[in-house]
Amino acid sequence: MMAVTVDGTRDILGIRTGGGEGARAGCVFTELKNHGLDYVLVLVGDGLEGLSEAVEAVWLRAIVQTRVVGWVWGW
């Protein structure tokens, strides 16, 4: 997970791996809030089922945006 602050500074919030993503998402967000991440403006995710609800349970005003991946091919 990476954060970009309002002034453009990037910060790594954590690295998570494997299993139970849907059920674990809410726990991860609560953990981040407990460690001082008080406000999220926009969260970009991959369309995981229940992501919006998990984010809203922790940060009421956050916007959840599904990411779009594009590939550029060429030489």
Side-chain angles (χ1 to χ4, degrees):
M1 293 175 278
M2 183 181 82
V4 180
T5 64
V6 175
D7 66 356
T9 305
R10 295 180 191 168
D11 193 11
I12 300 297
L13 302 177
I15 299 172
R16 307 288 178 187
T17 60
E21 291 176 334
R24 178 110 171 93
C27 296
V28 170
F29 299 142
T30 301
E31 181 181 320
L32 288 171
K33 184 165 181 138
N34 290 341
H35 281 93
L37 185 59
D38 293 325
Y39 185 76
V40 171
L41 179 61
V42 177
L43 186 136
V44 180
D46 62 358
L48 180 66
E49 187 174 331
L51 182 64
S52 295
E53 293 81 7
V55 171
E56 187 176 294
V58 179
W59 299 291
L60 297 176
R61 303 183 122 198
I63 298 167
V64 177
Q65 173 69 47
T66 301
R67 69 181 167 93
V68 178
V69 177
W71 293 95
V72 177
W73 296 92
W75 282 256

